[in-house]
Amino acid sequence: MTTVNPAAAVQITGLQKAFGDLEVLRGIDFEVARGEVVCIIGPSGSGKSTLLRCVNLLEEPTAGQVYVGGVELTDPDVDIDAARRRVGMVFQQFNLFPHLSVLGNVTIAQRKVLRRSAEEADRIARDNLVRVGLADKVDAYPAQLSGGQQQRVAIARALAMGPDVMLFDEPTSALDPELVGDVLGVMRKLALEGMTMLVVTHEMSFAREVADRVVFMDGGVIVEEGPPSKVIGDPAYERTRRFLSRVLDPAAAEVEE
Amino acid sequence: MTEHAEAAPRLTRRQRRRLILGGEYGVFVVAVVLLASLANWGTLKTNFAEWRVAKTLFPDIITVGLRNTLLFTVTGFALGLAAGLVLALMRLSSVPPYRWFAIAYIEVFRGLPALLIFIFVGTGIPIAFPGVEFPGGVYGQAALALGIVSAAYMAETIRAGIEAVPRGQMEAARTLGMSHGRAMRSIIIPQALRVVIPPLTNELVLLFKDSSLALYLGVTLQQRELTKIAQDVTGQQGNTTPIVAAAICYLIITIPLGHLARRLEARQKRGQR
C-alpha cells in the first residue's frame, strides 16, 4: 500500500491503462506538488494524453490509484462529479459548447453545478474572460472566434470553476502557428500566478521556460523526468535525445527504414 | 456538292441546340392543344371546381376540418416527440433491456401501416378493454395513434442527432463536474435538437397528412377533419369539388412547411449556428 501524500496536488501510483489488448500505460508513479507546472512530452502513442485523461478519470484506469488533493478518484465510491470540479481541463479541440455564447459557455457549469446565482456566475465569468484577454467577446458564439480565442475561452471556462489543478491536453496542437502565442501567453501567466498545471505539449520552448519539471514518456512508461534544463537540455537517455532532435529540428530527421 | 461542304458540319452547335429545343417545345404545345381541345371543360368545371358546392363547404371546412386536422397533428406530434425522445435515450442506454425495448418498438412500429394503428386504437382497444375511456375522446385516440407511429420515426431521428454531437462535448461537460444526466439535458440534447429540426419538420408534414386517417376512428360531425369532410360532402353532393378544396387546404400547409424544412437543412449545411 502506498502512502498518500496529502500535500501533493496530484498523486498517481501504479497506474495502468489498457484498451483491450493494447497496453497504453504500463505502471506510472508520479506526483505533482501544489503550484508546480509539469510538462509531459513524448512521441505520439506514448500514453501522455491517456495519462492526463486518467487524472480526472475521463479514462478509467485498469489498475492503480489517482489522488487529487488527497482524495482518491479511483475509489468506486467517490463522488466523481464533485472531484472533477476541482480539476480543470483544456482540450486539443477546445470543445466549447457551440449552442452557447462565450458568456454562456463560462457560466453554465457555475450555474448548474456550483449553483451560483446568475449575477455571481456572470461576474466570475467576466473576470476570467478578462484574465484570458477576451473581455470584449462575451456575446460572441464559438463559431465566430478564431481557434486561439476559442481555446482561451475554454481556459476561462475551466478557471471559472475555481479548480485546484489545471490539465492541458495539447492545447496548441490544433492552432494555426500565429495563434499559438496568445494561448501560451495565457498559460504562462497562469503558471506565474501559482496554478498547479499538468501540460501535455509539443511546445518545447514553453516547457523549457515555464515548466518546473519535464516528464518524458515513451511506450507507456516515464523514461525520465527532471528540471527542463536537464530533460530537454541534457537528456540522459538515447530515446529522449532522439525524440527531442525530431521535435526541435523536424527537417533533419532521417527516415527510418 | 463540293468537297468543302462535305467536310463542314451540316449544322453548327448553336443551330443543332435550337433545333432540338424547338422540337421539344413543339411536342409540348401540340400535347397541350390536343388535351385542351379533347377535354370537356364544362364537365370538368362542374365536377372539380363547382362554386355552388364549394360555398356549402364554408365555414366548416376551415372551422371544423382544418382546425381538427391541425389539432390532431399538433397533439400527435407533441406526444410522438416526447415518446421519441424517451425512446432515443433508451436506445442509447447502457442498460441492455432498455435498448432492447427501444429497438423492438422502433422496428415494430416503423414496419406497420399507420392505418392499422388507427384501427387498433379506434376499434381494437375498445373491444379488448370495454369501458376504457380515452382522455379527450376521439382527440385522445387520434393523438395516441399518431404519437405511436411518429414516436418510432422520431426516436431514430433524435438518436442520430444525439450521436452527431461530438464526443468531446460530453467530455467537456463531465470535466466541468456535470453529471451524465445534467450534461445530456444542458449540453447534448439542445445541440441534438438543433440538428434534428429539419427532419422533424418533415415528420410534421407526414403527420399532417396522416392525420386524415382519423376518419377511421368514428367521428361526430364536429370532430371531422379535412379528409372526412371532403369525403362526406362529395358523397352528399355527388360532386368532386370538396376533394379539390380539401387538397388545397392541405397544400397551403404542407408546401410552405416543406420549403421551411429544406431551408433549415440548407442553412445547417452552411454551418450557421
Side-chain angles (χ1 to χ4, degrees), chain A residues 53 56 58 81 84-85 87 89 91 95-99 108-109 112-113 115 141 144 157 161, chain B residues 167-180 182 186-188 190-191 194 271 273:
Chain A
R53 291 161 62 83
N56 65 0
L58 273 185
D81 297 331
R84 281 193 180 125
R85 280 167 221 164
V87 184
M89 185 158 187
F91 299 87
N95 294 349
L96 289 184
F97 305 133
H99 63 303
I108 187 159
K112 305 285 185 189
V113 176
R115 302 269 162 218
Y141 278 81
Q144 299 166 319
R157 178 175 70 176
M161 302 297 283
Chain B
R167 210 167 62 113
Q169 292 291 310
M170 177 56 93
E171 290 187 348
R174 294 306 302 270
T175 300
L176 290 166
M178 291 188 195
S179 65
H180 182 86
R182 166 53 65 195
S186 294
I187 306 299
I188 308 298
Q191 290 184 56
R194 269 163 201 242
R273 59 176 165 84

Side-chain angles (χ1 to χ4, degrees), chain B residues 59-124:
Chain B
D60 278 8
I61 194 167
I62 303 294
T63 57
V64 177
L66 188 58
R67 175 178 162 275
N68 281 331
T69 290
L70 285 170
L71 250 166
F72 293 157
T73 308
V74 169
T75 52
F77 186 78
L79 204 68
L81 184 61
L85 184 57
V86 172
L87 282 167
L89 293 174
M90 288 173 81
R91 176 82 175 73
L92 296 168
S93 165
S94 52
V95 183
Y98 285 150
R99 282 204 305 271
W100 298 334
F101 175 84
I103 292 170
Y105 182 97
I106 292 164
E107 292 291 326
V108 167
F109 287 102
R110 280 202 312 184
L112 293 178
L115 179 53
L116 192 69
I117 310 296
F118 271 86
I119 293 171
F120 173 72
V121 170
T123 314

Side-chain angles (χ1 to χ4, degrees), chain A residues 186-221:
Chain A
V186 167
M187 290 168 64
R188 179 181 291 120
K189 202 169 79 178
L190 262 185
L192 290 175
E193 289 168 11
M195 176 61 77
T196 308
M197 292 164 60
L198 198 47
V199 185
V200 170
T201 188
H202 289 295
E203 300 292 337
M204 291 305 143
S205 61
F206 178 83
R208 200 166 359 211
E209 285 170 40
V210 181
D212 298 307
R213 185 150 51 103
V214 173
V215 173
F216 174 70
M217 280 182 74
D218 194 13
V221 294

Side-chain angles (χ1 to χ4, degrees), chain A residues 9 11 16 35 53 60 90 106 184 193 248:
Chain A
Q11 188 183 5
Q16 294 179 25
R53 291 161 62 83
E60 189 107 27
V90 174
V106 188
L184 292 182
E193 289 168 11
L248 296 172

